[in-house]
Amino acid sequence: MHPSFVPPRRVRIGDAAAFVGITPRAIRHYHEIGLLPEPERGGDDRRRYGYEDMIRLLWIRRTAEAGIALDDIRDAFAEPASAGADSDDGIAGILERLEEALVAQEAELRRQRTAVRRMRTEGSRAGLLSDFVTDRLKGLPEGSLRRADLDSLLVTERIFGPLGAAVQASRFIALATHPDLREESDRVDAAEEALDDTVAVDDPRVAQVAAERHAFEETLHIVIEDSGLAEEDDALFDAWDALHPATAEEGEPEAGRSSGGGQGSMSAFEAIGKMPYDFSPARLRCMELAAELAAHEPPAS
């Protein structure tokens, strides 16, 4: 007569892992992230797993094999409605929440694919800008925009939002379509960069470069006005208000909706204070002098 088989009431972690088809290390990880409650321990201080623990482990393995993240599985089990997970209603609730998590993941994946596709279409750097800004740059000769131009627009969009960057784009459109203006811009930029830490703030070159910067900006402004870019800038505000009617009606100040909105939104003042620029004291003084010259410029007739 064969001896009767008596199943164990609880098993060790190695036996539990072998039965479920996973590793003891995986089970320990489930404990660490709160996916599986810690079981009772035996007299040898080792974990012992019962029937309900094994059911939970089987659930975890099957759902994980379906591609569902462990965090999502944990959150689904943690819902109050899943307290009776052994019932049909409890199981249905868990599956419903897991499906909702998958739908959200699919939507995020579509968003990411759209963003990557757009970057490839627009070019990696231009594609980092919002549609409102890149639409402003349409039609420019290929290669006429420099990496530094696009980087500047990226920073401006972060500080002042897409509208601010779209307005600033007029500057780079003018430079891209007027080679002589671009050449003069490069010359003034190089003069400013030469005002490094070896140059004293009261060096005559500082005031000279400030005057050159002011003169260049005046010339650039005239080109923007004569080419019709200024009128296009005015139209941008109407287009922005049409795209964001709620914001326009609220009368929210531009600084309040700066730094691109969305994640990590901050005021323009806060954003400017967090963006580092490696300017020497002489170059900062040059910028101050140029601003003073612009402030004392008589208004255009």
Side-chain angles (χ1 to χ4, degrees), residues 57-80:
L57 285 169
L58 288 171
W59 261 92
I60 294 170
R61 178 188 172 184
R62 287 297 180 88
T63 49
E65 285 178 343
I68 301 171
L70 294 180
D71 288 344
D72 293 329
I73 301 173
R74 178 194 59 204
D75 294 343
F77 274 112
E79 290 286 338

Side-chain angles (χ1 to χ4, degrees), residues 119-140:
M119 290 179 190
R120 294 184 63 188
T121 301
E122 298 289 348
S124 58
R125 288 189 176 273
L128 296 175
L129 300 167
S130 66
D131 290 334
F132 195 76
V133 182
T134 54
D135 287 345
R136 187 80 169 91
L137 304 173
K138 297 291 187 184
L140 287 176

Side-chain angles (χ1 to χ4, degrees), residues 35-277:
L35 181 55
L36 182 68
E38 281 282 352
E40 295 180 5
R41 293 179 179 265
D44 55 1
D45 199 34
R46 292 183 177 179
R47 296 181 179 91
R48 293 292 192 277
Y49 297 85
Y51 180 80
E52 294 300 330
D53 297 319
M54 303 297 281
I55 295 298
R56 174 68 70 93
L57 285 169
L58 288 171
W59 261 92
I60 294 170
R61 178 188 172 184
R62 287 297 180 88
T63 49
E65 285 178 343
I68 301 171
L70 294 180
D71 288 344
D72 293 329
I73 301 173
R74 178 194 59 204
D75 294 343
F77 274 112
E79 290 286 338
S82 66
D86 56 338
S87 67
D88 288 343
D89 291 340
I91 293 173
I94 291 173
L95 292 176
E96 180 180 358
R97 283 183 290 278
L98 290 175
E99 184 175 8
E100 290 173 354
L102 287 175
V103 169
Q105 291 172 15
E106 289 173 354
E108 176 62 15
L109 183 60
R110 285 195 298 272
R111 185 196 66 78
Q112 292 174 350
R113 290 183 62 188
T114 300
V116 171
R117 189 179 301 114
R118 179 176 174 277
M119 290 179 190
R120 294 184 63 188
T121 301
E122 298 289 348
S124 58
R125 288 189 176 273
L128 296 175
L129 300 167
S130 66
D131 290 334
F132 195 76
V133 182
T134 54
D135 287 345
R136 187 80 169 91
L137 304 173
K138 297 291 187 184
L140 287 176
E142 185 176 357
S144 60
L145 285 175
R146 297 178 178 178
R147 169 178 173 175
D149 300 340
L150 297 172
D151 289 347
S152 181
L153 288 171
L154 187 64
V155 172
T156 299
E157 182 172 346
R158 177 57 183 160
I159 296 175
F160 296 106
L163 178 58
V167 171
Q168 189 201 27
S170 291
R171 178 185 190 89
F172 300 116
I173 294 172
L175 293 176
T177 52
H178 293 77
D180 54 337
L181 197 63
R182 172 73 83 175
E183 182 178 350
E184 178 63 10
S185 175
D186 290 342
R187 189 192 68 78
V188 176
D189 288 345
E192 287 181 338
E193 292 173 2
L195 300 176
D196 55 23
D197 288 321
T198 66
V199 180
V201 294
D202 57 353
D203 189 297
R205 287 174 292 175
V206 175
Q208 177 185 344
V209 176
E212 293 174 357
R213 168 57 67 186
H214 173 64
F216 169 76
E217 294 299 330
E218 285 293 301
T219 302
L220 177 62
H221 177 72
I222 293 172
V223 170
I224 291 176
E225 288 284 344
D226 292 346
S227 61
L229 289 171
E231 296 178 1
E232 294 179 14
D233 287 346
D234 293 338
L236 286 174
F237 289 90
D238 295 334
W240 180 263
D241 290 342
L243 290 171
H244 306 83
T247 303
E249 292 172 2
E250 292 166 2
E252 186 178 352
E254 190 64 31
R257 48 189 160 119
S258 61
S259 63
Q263 185 178 17
S265 182
M266 67 187 81
S267 71
F269 181 79
E270 291 174 317
I272 291 172
K274 296 180 185 299
M275 182 63 190
Y277 288 96

